[in-house]
Amino acid sequence: MSELEVPTGPAKTTGPAGARMAGALRSVAELLPRWSEWKPALRAPGADLLAGLIVALVALPLALGFGVSTGLGAAAGLTTAVIAGAVAAVFGGSRFQVSGPTGAMTVVLVPIVAQYGPTGVLAVGLIAGAVLVGLAFAGVGRAVRYMPAPVIEGFTAGIAVVIALQQIPAALGISGAEGEKVWQSAFDAARKFVADPSILTPSIALVVAVAILIGGRYFPRVPFSLVAVAGATAVAQLFGLDIARIGAIPSGFSTPTLSFLRLGDLTSLIAPALAVAALAALESLLSATAADSMGVGTRHNPDRELFGQGLANIAAPLFGGVPATGAIARTAVNVRSGARTRLAALTHALILAAIVYLAAGLVAEIPLAALAGVLLATTVRMVETASILAIARATRADTVVMIATFLVTVVFDLVTAVAVGVGFAAILALRAVAKSARIEQVPLEHDDHLAEEHELLREHIVAYRIEGALFFAAAHRFLLELAEVSDVKVVILRMSRVTALDATGAIVLKDAITKLEHRHIAVLISGAKPEHLRPLEVLGVFTTKDSEDRHVFDTTPRAISYARTLVLPESRYASTSTED
């Protein structure tokens, strides 16, 4: 895992082709593992090895369960956790990210299995992996940096609630809870528990969760997750408690093969593969972002994260695994368990592989309620209360975005939640920008002319300064304000402070100019940037190339001087106003 070094010495490239090649080499080098990332892990591996062990114990039942849920079986889920988890740990862009099968991906895969069968899912995963690698080279991962903070906080809090709801059946000792959504199955489990209550299983889950939360608060260096799970397992075995266990797990992995790939089916699999790739990218990047907020002094590389997830999804189907993503629950456990480097995520995958061959019988005796308690404690520690309160106190718009994202995450799903959250944020941002755009009348001169000359100017010339973004959300109000101008001969539009002008804004500005000119009011423009004049030229607002003839001026003083010639052709004034 050595770094790829781009030559920077005497060797030179000539021409555009050489520059492109050098740029391509740099892009590849940025996506590959670096030896420097592993030096801290090799110097002091203890914390990472312990965190990896804890994550493996949490990931094991989830991997088995998600594999069964997709329809490919428990072995497929475990294979995904091992193969995809190891590849993503080495090549991914986050040192904390733990990858594997997830609940959100399972929801997408179930209809694909029903329509295309198990081999179709494997092919979809392979294609999705290739798409993710392409997105990494295209630099798409950086787009997540523009994700609004209220969306991320709402998503993280919503996922915490979803994970907690997922643990309700196991914590209550209820099997076969029904419901399409996680909150529906949690409600059904609670209803069945009330009909036939039992205190044993909930007590184990509660004791494990409380032990982790209280113990972790006062003794952060002690691995209370591992201690609590081991203690619950020992008690269950010692007293022969009749509670649900993990049960028998498969042993061994299949030989890598491409036999599932049928060229005739590839065309029909592109659409579901794109959906899987989109979900894998979104969930992985948001999970890595959430891990950054939980860790200290860390920031993931989004493009490299897509690259690692792409390679992971290419590798997993070769061994019979389902598509994988970064898993926020396991990632959170990894961070809270004291992980320092990506060795922890790699250790988690290696331990799962070892469990398959060496300790299947021992792990089979772990109570599901104990693992539910671990995840319940994790959800409590996932939520950053200070960040949520800070956003809630910031602005009402941020609060609305955060609450909307949270509610949709819990009620519907991750993709819908992010779409709704970003949509709300965009609408509110446009509203704020539109409100910031304004038009105001400004004085032409200060004290360089006699009072009677100013009086004459005020009767016939008026200047307006347009500030902010003149786009579709603000254009209508602008037209109404400008159209009210009356009893003047010349209107000067000072546009040096316009920050944006879209097609709608240009059309509205043209309409305003046309209306004023029909009333025999000359319109002069000053200080406009070339990129803002271009759409006006395309719309035919200016019919001549000469700046003065088309009433466009670089500065306001020049516009004022020309306006005076229109109002008082016989007069000649020398303006001394400062430029816009």
Side-chain angles (χ1 to χ4, degrees), residues 40-288:
L42 296 179
R43 284 197 298 264
D48 290 318
L49 295 176
L50 183 58
L53 174 60
I54 295 172
V55 176
L57 291 175
V58 173
L60 180 60
L62 296 177
L64 297 172
F66 290 141
V68 172
S69 299
T70 59
L72 271 70
L78 192 55
T79 298
T80 304
V82 173
I83 303 300
V87 174
V90 174
F91 292 95
S94 170
R95 60 176 170 149
F96 294 135
Q97 183 87 286
V98 178
S99 301
T102 63
M105 184 61 76
T106 300
V107 175
V108 176
L109 295 180
V110 168
I112 297 177
V113 174
Q115 184 172 357
Y116 300 103
T119 57
V121 170
L122 300 180
V124 163
L126 186 66
I127 298 172
V131 171
L132 289 172
V133 171
L135 293 178
F137 280 106
V140 175
R142 289 188 291 270
V144 78
R145 295 177 180 175
Y146 302 103
M147 189 72 67
V151 174
I152 294 176
E153 292 297 338
F155 157 79
T156 304
I159 287 294
V161 172
V162 170
I163 295 171
L165 292 174
Q166 287 176 338
Q167 309 314 309
I168 296 299
L172 297 178
I174 302 298
S175 59
E178 299 177 352
E180 294 184 1
K181 303 295 183 182
V182 64
W183 58 270
Q184 292 172 330
S185 60
F187 177 81
D188 184 60
R191 182 182 59 81
K192 292 180 177 179
F193 177 78
V194 171
D196 185 18
S198 174
I199 197 66
L200 179 59
T201 303
S203 298
I204 292 177
L206 182 62
V207 169
V208 169
V210 171
I212 294 172
L213 291 174
I214 296 179
R217 180 179 179 84
Y218 294 102
F219 304 97
R221 295 185 177 278
V222 178
F224 276 95
S225 296
L226 180 60
V227 172
V229 170
T233 304
V235 170
Q237 287 292 96
L238 183 62
F239 293 97
L241 302 181
D242 184 19
I243 56 176
R245 315 292 179 99
I246 288 179
I249 62 174
S251 59
F253 300 102
S254 61
T255 304
T257 179
L258 279 172
S259 60
F260 59 84
L261 209 57
R262 300 187 181 95
L263 297 180
D265 298 336
L266 293 183
T267 303
S268 60
L269 295 176
I270 290 178
L274 291 176
V276 168
L279 177 60
L282 183 61
E283 190 171 10
S284 298
L285 292 174
L286 288 178
S287 176

Side-chain angles (χ1 to χ4, degrees), residues 260-345:
F260 59 84
L261 209 57
R262 300 187 181 95
L263 297 180
D265 298 336
L266 293 183
T267 303
S268 60
L269 295 176
I270 290 178
L274 291 176
V276 168
L279 177 60
L282 183 61
E283 190 171 10
S284 298
L285 292 174
L286 288 178
S287 176
T289 303
D292 287 348
S293 66
M294 287 183 281
V296 178
T298 180
R299 186 172 182 83
H300 72 283
N301 182 327
D303 291 326
R304 185 177 167 190
E305 181 62 27
L306 291 184
F307 182 70
Q309 295 296 334
L311 295 182
N313 279 284
I314 290 174
L318 302 179
F319 294 85
V322 297
T325 74
I328 191 169
R330 278 151 275 180
T331 300
V333 171
N334 193 34
V335 176
R336 299 306 187 191
S337 299
R340 297 170 57 248
T341 71
R342 58 185 67 236
L343 176 62

Side-chain angles (χ1 to χ4, degrees), residues 259-465:
S259 60
F260 59 84
L261 209 57
R262 300 187 181 95
L263 297 180
D265 298 336
L266 293 183
T267 303
S268 60
L269 295 176
I270 290 178
L274 291 176
V276 168
L279 177 60
L282 183 61
E283 190 171 10
S284 298
L285 292 174
L286 288 178
S287 176
T289 303
D292 287 348
S293 66
M294 287 183 281
V296 178
T298 180
R299 186 172 182 83
H300 72 283
N301 182 327
D303 291 326
R304 185 177 167 190
E305 181 62 27
L306 291 184
F307 182 70
Q309 295 296 334
L311 295 182
N313 279 284
I314 290 174
L318 302 179
F319 294 85
V322 297
T325 74
I328 191 169
R330 278 151 275 180
T331 300
V333 171
N334 193 34
V335 176
R336 299 306 187 191
S337 299
R340 297 170 57 248
T341 71
R342 58 185 67 236
L343 176 62
L346 180 60
T347 300
H348 131 272
L350 296 177
I351 289 176
L352 288 178
I355 287 173
V356 172
Y357 294 104
L358 304 176
L362 180 61
V363 173
E365 301 302 325
I366 297 176
L368 292 177
L371 295 175
V374 172
L375 286 180
L376 288 173
T378 300
T379 60
V380 174
R381 300 165 72 177
M382 277 177 59
V383 179
E384 298 289 343
T385 308
S387 299
I388 292 176
L389 292 177
I391 291 176
R393 293 169 182 165
T395 65
R396 184 178 301 177
D398 289 336
T399 304
V400 170
V401 172
M402 183 173 62
I403 292 176
T405 306
F406 168 78
L407 292 176
V408 177
T409 300
V410 175
V411 177
F412 296 101
D413 56 70
L414 169 64
V415 176
T416 304
V418 172
V420 169
V422 172
F424 264 100
I427 292 172
L428 293 173
L430 288 176
R431 179 173 175 268
V433 173
K435 292 177 69 176
S436 69
R438 65 180 184 270
I439 178 172
E440 60 179 2
Q441 187 174 351
V442 295
L444 290 175
E445 310 285 349
H446 291 286
D447 55 2
D448 59 323
H449 289 288
L450 298 177
E452 57 269 21
E453 292 175 337
H454 275 289
E455 185 66 27
L456 181 62
L457 289 174
R458 283 195 293 270
E459 289 179 357
H460 300 287
I461 301 174
V462 63
Y464 285 95
R465 179 187 292 123

